[in-house]
Amino acid sequence: MGKKDKEFVKEITPRAEDYSQWYLDVILKAQMMDYSPVKGCMVIRPYGFTLWENMQAGLDERIKATGHRNAYFPLFIPESLLQKEADHVEGFAPEVAWVTHGGNEKLSERLLVRPTSETIICEMFSRWIQSYRDLPVLMNQWCNVVRWEKVTRPFLRTSEFLWQEGHTAHRSEEEAEEHTLRMLEVYRDFVENDLAVPVVKGQKTENEKFAGARETYSIEALMSDGKALQAGTSHNLGTHFAKVFDITYLDSDGELKHVWQTSWGVSTRLVGAIIMVHGDDRGLVLPPKVAPTQVILVPIAPKKVREEVLPKAAAIYEEIKEAGIRIEMDDREEYSPGWKFNEWEMKGVPLRIEVGPRDLEAGQAVLARRDNGEKETVAIGDLKARVPILLGEIQANMFEKAKNFREENTYRTDDYEEFKKIIEEKRGFVISRWCGHGECEQAIKEETKATIRCIPFNLEASPGKCLRCGTESDKLVYFARAY
Amino acid sequence: MGKKDKEFVKEITPRAEDYSQWYLDVILKAQMMDYSPVKGCMVIRPYGFTLWENMQAGLDERIKATGHRNAYFPLFIPESLLQKEADHVEGFAPEVAWVTHGGNEKLSERLLVRPTSETIICEMFSRWIQSYRDLPVLMNQWCNVVRWEKVTRPFLRTSEFLWQEGHTAHRSEEEAEEHTLRMLEVYRDFVENDLAVPVVKGQKTENEKFAGARETYSIEALMSDGKALQAGTSHNLGTHFAKVFDITYLDSDGELKHVWQTSWGVSTRLVGAIIMVHGDDRGLVLPPKVAPTQVILVPIAPKKVREEVLPKAAAIYEEIKEAGIRIEMDDREEYSPGWKFNEWEMKGVPLRIEVGPRDLEAGQAVLARRDNGEKETVAIGDLKARVPILLGEIQANMFEKAKNFREENTYRTDDYEEFKKIIEEKRGFVISRWCGHGECEQAIKEETKATIRCIPFNLEASPGKCLRCGTESDKLVYFARAY
Ligand SMILES: [Zn+2]
Ligand SMILES: [Zn+2]
């Protein structure tokens, strides 16, 4: 590492030294976000927002492909609507922002800024749904929501955040359960294939489920500091909300019945997952499928050869761009190639093309991968074919790397002392048997700060004893400290 | 018109009878929106929201093509930030929603829900912009905004609405002015070409300009009831905000200077413009470029031939869909073809394909246009080629029709009595001379309810006298009653 390199990297705290500080250094330096004058609310800068737009495109396509259409419901919800569902109000009331005045007038009823939209959507469903012919109703909404948080962390926990929330109504219990799991699978597919983040699918415990849901399912990811992050949730709401909001339909048998509902969401916290799963001490590493810039082209053009190199670099840029690849060219004169390499590595651009006068003479360019640092020399005529292949390989390699990391950091024990040691010293996922009692779960949380992330789908039950209380149990669950 | 037709149409009030009621009947019946339990806020239902998504796609592409990137700024703005720019606070304070409590705690400073984001964006610009090398800054944001309205009308004026707001910072006065007009032209291009709504480009008067702007420009459209609608605005903010928010840059000459800013926006009120410009007594007429469904395929399949007709209809559906056209097939058994024709006409689908057993025998289908009711018979093998051509013709015809209507309803007079008569009896645009004084403008407004829509770019100045006060003036302006 040269002197300049060291200076550059110095601005990012190494992960091993202070992971939280590394995270903040990276997202600020890469201009993903900035703090705002509003406590707990961040500004998503264009580089971060373009990443989010690319993520939205991939997920929105999947949501539409499963039959949903987007809609938009009001930001404000009358207090009386929130009050209708008891668990829901208990879960959300302590963290909502209240609008009390419009212009100079005091409102007759306080309005809350939506923390989620079940209540107002249910109110509308009760007007729209009459007959079994109206079912299923499959809707989605992309919007901002507000949850008044005391401790915030950019992307991971902010008072305002962006998300999508899907809301559906079905004719039967089975159909609603199937749909809940279908959307969980959509999330897994999206997060693993587009974001290259491996996840564990499973069910939430009674303590951890959504306020008002019958069952909550989630996908859980492991960050590179060994802490877990809930990457998406899908709720089977049963008929809880339908009964409270009187959402009924006349069935073909002539009976009036309550609909069965689901809701599911992912948010800008997935941006945090991408950063923490893939990033390294040099900065971001972005998956090609969602990276704002997939390829950065850096012409190496000292003044005396500038006139020769730039037009040829521009031709390469145009050719790759026409192939539908998100490429940028950095031909700024005021920065050295080395500085630019560092800059774009820090920004996590998956692939770099370098072209200098000698490369051009030899009719070739150098490709450098962000994920593993490998370089290769490619004939200029082959770039258009080679670049998409490499982007695909980077995407696959990033997923494999993250999956290997997760597997290396997934432990298996029913011994509570060993469990505590792993959680304290190594972090990671710990698969253990649990008796199924909320009190026991709560005690483990208090004693170790680890929570049950999920009751996974992928593990066969087998006899054994609860990690903490020793009760006979065949229930294997994933524990971790979590964001 | 058959009996069923009459019954169907009866549900929509004719425009001539009650235009406002016609508008509400159409948008409710077409399921564009619904009222919500929150006063002044509406629900945008999937059919309306898909239209908005298609509009967003066309405009977003143009905004990006002119060098802007999207970002996201907080929903909430501290009261102290709003207070900084005097005109701005005067313009917006009476209509903002105030957040006073977060969870159970009273906030130390009230937050307003953004009515527009100049203040918070300027605050961030002052941190981000240091050198002339940072300029221009070209940003855009798609978001919800809130303006507490006493009288609301779906899409046209609601307490919460969706929009995009562009915000830019430039090095010079000329560049900012050029950019303001560039974005106005982007709006004209989008509204005329994608929405088929002809507009007049011009400048707003001092009375009508944006709170805090140096100059405001707008595009103005004429609805089919003869009232005008401001379809988009672009503001040259000068250095007003830069001075208040201390947004400075070090220029190449070593001097610290204030940036020159612009902001510009269009909103979901454009949905209202589409409805009112193109709609008729049978319902919506949607421009093909943004219509949620461009083609509706109605198989005419009585029970005994159902098995024969449906597979062939499905093959047509697949073929057209693969050509990238937004087609839907309505093969519901419980409704008659006639009912379906009415239904999809009411929903404004630009083109209908009918296929019945006799058509199929003859190897053909019938195409019916929504814009002019014309029908033609096309060989099934030619559908894929013919449909996109017809959609293009419909788009062009809708624009021409709207433009002709506007021209027929644009009057020219400097005689105040004639002016009052036109405004009262015919509505439409009236081009008249105006002295340039705000008091005179105000008096005309009070006496006739007509406002100056803009000082147009397309009219040559020529000597004459002010419509009302008789002062010598060569300034021709567009007057109209407006939404
Ligand atoms: Zn136990
Ligand atoms: Zn006058």
Side-chain angles (χ1 to χ4, degrees):
Chain A
M1 222 184 253
K3 185 170 165 282
K4 269 199 174 167
D5 268 19
K6 273 187 202 147
E7 269 169 23
F8 185 91
V9 171
K10 194 171 66 183
E11 297 169 37
I12 298 174
T13 306
R15 284 173 300 169
E17 191 179 297
D18 184 342
Y19 194 84
S20 289
Q21 193 56 49
W22 165 81
Y23 178 78
L24 296 175
D25 287 350
V26 166
I27 56 180
L28 281 167
K29 198 169 160 55
Q31 301 192 343
M32 298 281 280
M33 55 70 65
D34 201 352
Y35 297 105
S36 86
V38 193
K39 203 175 153 289
C41 296
M42 65 172 179
V43 172
I44 306 179
R45 299 185 72 170
Y47 197 66
F49 197 80
T50 305
L51 175 62
W52 176 241
E53 284 184 311
N54 294 340
M55 292 162 67
Q56 281 187 296
L59 183 55
D60 192 65
E61 193 186 338
R62 288 171 170 90
I63 289 173
K64 285 177 176 152
T66 40
H68 305 83
R69 291 191 301 164
N70 290 332
Y72 189 78
F73 294 84
L75 171 69
F76 299 137
I77 298 173
E79 184 168 11
S80 55
L81 273 192
L82 178 72
Q83 299 293 351
K84 283 193 172 185
E85 214 285 337
D87 288 341
H88 201 67
V89 64
E90 196 190 313
F92 286 106
E95 56 180 40
V96 298
W98 294 102
V99 174
T100 56
H101 291 74
N104 300 316
E105 282 169 35
K106 194 175 171 189
L107 304 180
S108 58
E109 181 183 7
R110 296 200 297 177
L111 302 172
L112 58 132
V113 182
R114 64 179 161 225
T116 181
S117 301
E118 275 76 8
T119 54
I120 193 144
I121 290 179
C122 284
E123 177 73 15
M124 301 313 297
F125 277 9
S126 76
R127 301 186 196 180
W128 296 338
I129 297 169
Q130 261 112 45
S131 149
Y132 69 94
R133 288 198 184 88
D134 300 326
L135 298 174
V137 173
L138 307 175
M139 284 197 190
N140 181 59
Q141 166 169 270
W142 291 94
C143 66
N144 54 345
V145 287
V146 170
R147 296 180 187 175
W148 214 256
E149 299 281 358
K150 300 224 185 261
V151 182
T152 59
R153 199 190 297 251
F155 293 113
L156 299 174
R157 192 174 296 277
T158 47
S159 290
E160 182 191 8
F161 58 92
L162 305 180
W163 79 345
Q164 62 68 220
E165 46 178 324
H167 296 270
T168 70
H170 304 266
R171 198 173 167 183
S172 74
E173 186 174 358
E174 299 68 38
E175 195 185 305
E177 177 68 8
E178 255 176 52
H179 200 76
T180 310
L181 295 175
R182 179 178 303 127
M183 297 321 293
L184 189 72
E185 172 59 18
V186 163
Y187 286 159
R188 184 207 60 77
D189 174 52
F190 164 65
V191 172
E192 293 200 334
N193 289 307
D194 286 16
L195 315 188
V197 170
V199 294
V200 175
K201 273 166 72 171
Q203 184 170 354
K204 286 289 190 185
T205 64
E206 201 61 23
N207 279 342
E208 299 278 337
K209 75 181 195 189
F210 177 73
R214 192 167 92 154
E215 310 290 358
T216 289
Y217 301 96
S218 75
I219 49 172
E220 301 284 333
L222 194 64
M223 305 298 103
S224 63
D225 65 343
K227 282 173 81 175
L229 185 126
Q230 178 178 296
T233 49
S234 186
H235 315 294
N236 180 339
L237 302 178
T239 55
H240 295 185
F241 285 88
K243 283 179 179 155
V244 166
F245 287 88
D246 197 25
I247 315 175
T248 55
Y249 69 97
L250 194 65
D251 207 348
S252 55
D253 60 10
E255 273 186 57
L256 205 61
K257 297 175 184 172
H258 286 106
V259 300
W260 299 81
Q261 289 179 268
T262 84
S263 72
W264 26 276
V266 303
S267 74
T268 33
R269 96 187 304 231
L270 283 178
V271 173
I274 293 174
I275 297 161
M276 290 196 291
V277 167
H278 302 300
D280 63 23
D281 286 351
R282 302 185 69 80
L284 296 174
V285 183
L286 297 179
K289 283 203 182 158
V290 291
T293 302
Q294 296 173 308
V295 179
I296 182 72
L297 174 60
V298 180
I300 299 162
K303 213 158 197 175
K304 59 184 179 194
V305 294
R306 204 167 161 80
E307 299 300 308
E308 279 171 60
V309 172
L310 284 195
K312 287 176 187 163
I316 293 171
Y317 166 83
E318 288 300 337
E319 195 188 10
I320 307 265
K321 195 184 168 81
E322 270 164 33
I325 289 157
R326 297 189 292 273
I327 184 172
E328 299 290 335
M329 178 160 70
D330 186 352
D331 58 0
R332 289 176 292 178
E333 285 188 58
E334 62 268 39
Y335 298 105
S336 71
W339 189 94
K340 291 177 185 174
F341 293 177
N342 280 330
E343 172 79 1
W344 294 106
E345 280 179 11
M346 183 271 293
K347 290 202 138 192
V349 175
L351 195 60
R352 179 175 74 232
I353 305 180
E354 310 166 10
V355 276
R358 260 171 300 172
D359 296 318
L360 288 171
E361 236 166 74
Q364 63 192 33
V366 174
L367 296 180
R369 286 171 63 155
R370 176 64 178 95
D371 62 326
N372 60 14
E374 279 174 16
K375 286 189 173 199
E376 64 181 68
T377 301
V378 174
I380 285 172
D382 296 339
L383 278 175
K384 201 170 86 176
R386 185 64 185 147
V387 164
I389 291 169
L390 269 180
L391 290 176
E393 283 178 15
I394 293 167
Q395 182 83 27
N397 181 53
M398 286 176 69
F399 180 72
E400 280 312 309
K401 207 168 153 182
K403 201 169 173 190
N404 289 340
F405 175 85
R406 186 190 69 187
E407 275 159 24
E408 283 160 17
N409 289 276
T410 299
Y411 305 91
R412 171 76 193 83
T413 184
D414 286 343
D415 180 296
Y416 198 43
E417 291 312 309
E418 193 187 343
F419 176 91
K420 285 195 273 193
K421 212 171 137 133
I422 296 168
I423 291 291
E424 190 56 41
E425 291 170 13
K426 302 178 180 167
R427 304 278 167 88
F429 280 134
V430 187
I431 301 170
S432 302
R433 276 197 184 73
W434 168 61
C435 58
H437 295 114
E439 302 76 19
C440 199
E441 179 186 11
Q442 189 59 31
I444 295 167
K445 184 175 174 180
E446 280 158 22
E447 288 158 9
T448 68
K449 295 186 194 132
T451 51
I452 298 177
R453 303 317 306 153
C454 68
I455 307 159
F457 295 162
N458 65 339
L459 294 176
E460 287 276 322
S462 67
K465 286 178 176 165
C466 171
L467 172 77
R468 187 176 173 280
C469 69
T471 307
E472 296 280 341
S473 171
D474 61 0
K475 204 189 281 269
L476 286 166
V477 301
Y478 272 74
F479 281 96
R481 288 195 187 163
Y483 279 96
Chain B
M1 223 184 256
K3 182 170 166 279
K4 268 201 172 168
D5 268 19
K6 274 187 202 147
E7 269 171 24
F8 185 91
V9 171
K10 194 172 65 182
E11 297 170 37
I12 298 175
T13 306
R15 284 173 299 168
E17 190 180 299
D18 183 343
Y19 194 83
S20 290
Q21 193 57 49
W22 165 81
Y23 178 77
L24 296 175
D25 287 350
V26 167
I27 57 179
L28 281 167
K29 198 169 160 56
Q31 302 192 341
M32 298 282 280
M33 56 71 65
D34 201 352
Y35 297 104
S36 86
V38 193
K39 203 175 150 289
C41 296
M42 65 173 177
V43 172
I44 307 180
R45 299 185 73 170
Y47 197 64
F49 197 81
T50 305
L51 174 63
W52 176 240
E53 283 184 312
N54 294 340
M55 292 163 67
Q56 281 187 297
L59 182 55
D60 192 66
E61 193 185 338
R62 288 169 169 92
I63 289 173
K64 285 178 176 151
T66 40
H68 305 82
R69 290 191 302 163
N70 290 333
Y72 189 76
F73 294 84
L75 171 70
F76 299 136
I77 298 173
E79 184 168 12
S80 55
L81 273 191
L82 178 72
Q83 299 293 351
K84 283 192 171 187
E85 216 282 338
D87 288 341
H88 201 67
V89 64
E90 195 189 314
F92 286 105
E95 57 179 41
V96 297
W98 293 102
V99 174
T100 56
H101 290 74
N104 300 315
E105 283 169 35
K106 195 177 172 190
L107 303 181
S108 57
E109 181 183 5
R110 296 200 298 177
L111 301 172
L112 59 131
V113 182
R114 64 179 162 225
T116 181
S117 302
E118 275 75 9
T119 54
I120 193 143
I121 290 179
C122 284
E123 177 72 15
M124 301 313 295
F125 277 9
S126 76
R127 301 185 196 180
W128 295 338
I129 297 168
Q130 262 111 43
S131 148
Y132 69 93
R133 287 198 184 90
D134 300 327
L135 297 173
V137 173
L138 307 175
M139 283 196 192
N140 181 59
Q141 166 169 271
W142 291 94
C143 66
N144 54 345
V145 288
V146 170
R147 296 179 188 175
W148 214 255
E149 301 280 0
K150 301 226 184 259
V151 182
T152 60
R153 199 192 296 252
F155 293 113
L156 299 173
R157 192 174 297 277
T158 47
S159 289
E160 181 190 8
F161 58 92
L162 304 180
W163 79 345
Q164 63 67 220
E165 47 179 323
H167 296 270
T168 69
H170 304 267
R171 198 172 167 182
S172 74
E173 187 173 358
E174 298 70 38
E175 195 185 306
E177 177 68 8
E178 256 175 51
H179 200 76
T180 309
L181 295 175
R182 179 177 304 128
M183 298 320 294
L184 189 72
E185 172 57 18
V186 162
Y187 286 159
R188 184 206 60 76
D189 173 53
F190 164 65
V191 172
E192 294 200 332
N193 288 308
D194 286 16
L195 314 187
V197 171
V199 294
V200 176
K201 273 165 73 169
Q203 185 170 353
K204 285 289 187 185
T205 65
E206 200 61 22
N207 280 343
E208 298 279 338
K209 74 182 197 189
F210 177 72
R214 192 168 91 155
E215 310 290 359
T216 289
Y217 302 97
S218 74
I219 49 172
E220 301 283 333
L222 194 65
M223 305 300 101
S224 64
D225 65 343
K227 282 174 79 176
L229 185 126
Q230 178 177 294
T233 49
S234 186
H235 315 293
N236 180 340
L237 302 177
T239 55
H240 295 185
F241 285 88
K243 282 178 180 155
V244 165
F245 286 89
D246 198 25
I247 315 175
T248 56
Y249 68 98
L250 194 65
D251 206 348
S252 55
D253 61 10
E255 273 186 57
L256 206 60
K257 297 173 185 172
H258 287 105
V259 300
W260 299 82
Q261 290 180 268
T262 84
S263 72
W264 26 276
V266 302
S267 75
T268 34
R269 98 186 302 230
L270 283 178
V271 173
I274 292 173
I275 297 161
M276 290 196 291
V277 167
H278 302 300
D280 63 23
D281 286 350
R282 301 185 68 81
L284 295 175
V285 183
L286 297 179
K289 282 204 184 159
V290 292
T293 301
Q294 295 173 309
V295 179
I296 183 70
L297 173 60
V298 180
I300 299 163
K303 213 159 196 175
K304 58 184 180 197
V305 294
R306 204 168 160 78
E307 299 300 308
E308 278 171 59
V309 172
L310 284 194
K312 286 175 187 164
I316 294 172
Y317 167 82
E318 287 299 337
E319 195 188 11
I320 308 266
K321 196 185 167 81
E322 269 164 32
I325 288 158
R326 297 188 292 272
I327 184 172
E328 298 291 333
M329 177 159 72
D330 186 353
D331 57 1
R332 289 176 292 177
E333 286 187 57
E334 61 266 39
Y335 299 104
S336 71
W339 189 93
K340 290 178 186 175
F341 293 177
N342 279 330
E343 171 79 2
W344 294 106
E345 280 178 12
M346 183 271 293
K347 289 203 139 194
V349 175
L351 195 61
R352 179 176 73 232
I353 305 180
E354 310 165 10
V355 275
R358 261 170 299 171
D359 297 317
L360 287 171
E361 234 166 74
Q364 62 192 34
V366 174
L367 296 180
R369 287 171 63 156
R370 176 64 178 94
D371 61 326
N372 60 13
E374 279 173 15
K375 285 190 174 198
E376 65 180 67
T377 300
V378 174
I380 286 173
D382 296 339
L383 279 175
K384 201 171 86 176
R386 185 63 185 147
V387 165
I389 291 169
L390 269 181
L391 291 176
E393 283 177 17
I394 294 168
Q395 182 83 27
N397 180 54
M398 287 177 68
F399 180 73
E400 281 313 309
K401 206 168 157 184
K403 203 172 172 187
N404 289 341
F405 175 85
R406 185 190 70 187
E407 275 157 25
E408 285 160 18
N409 289 278
T410 298
Y411 305 90
R412 172 76 192 85
T413 184
D414 287 342
D415 179 297
Y416 198 42
E417 291 313 309
E418 193 188 344
F419 175 91
K420 284 195 274 193
K421 214 173 136 138
I422 296 168
I423 290 291
E424 191 56 41
E425 291 171 12
K426 301 180 181 167
R427 303 282 168 87
F429 280 134
V430 187
I431 301 170
S432 304
R433 275 197 185 72
W434 167 61
C435 59
H437 294 114
E439 301 76 17
C440 200
E441 179 187 11
Q442 189 58 31
I444 295 167
K445 184 176 173 179
E446 280 158 21
E447 288 158 10
T448 68
K449 294 187 196 134
T451 51
I452 298 177
R453 303 317 307 152
C454 67
I455 306 160
F457 295 162
N458 64 340
L459 294 177
E460 288 275 320
S462 67
K465 286 178 177 165
C466 171
L467 171 76
R468 187 176 173 278
C469 69
T471 307
E472 297 278 344
S473 171
D474 62 0
K475 205 190 280 270
L476 287 165
V477 300
Y478 272 74
F479 280 96
R481 287 196 187 161
Y483 278 97

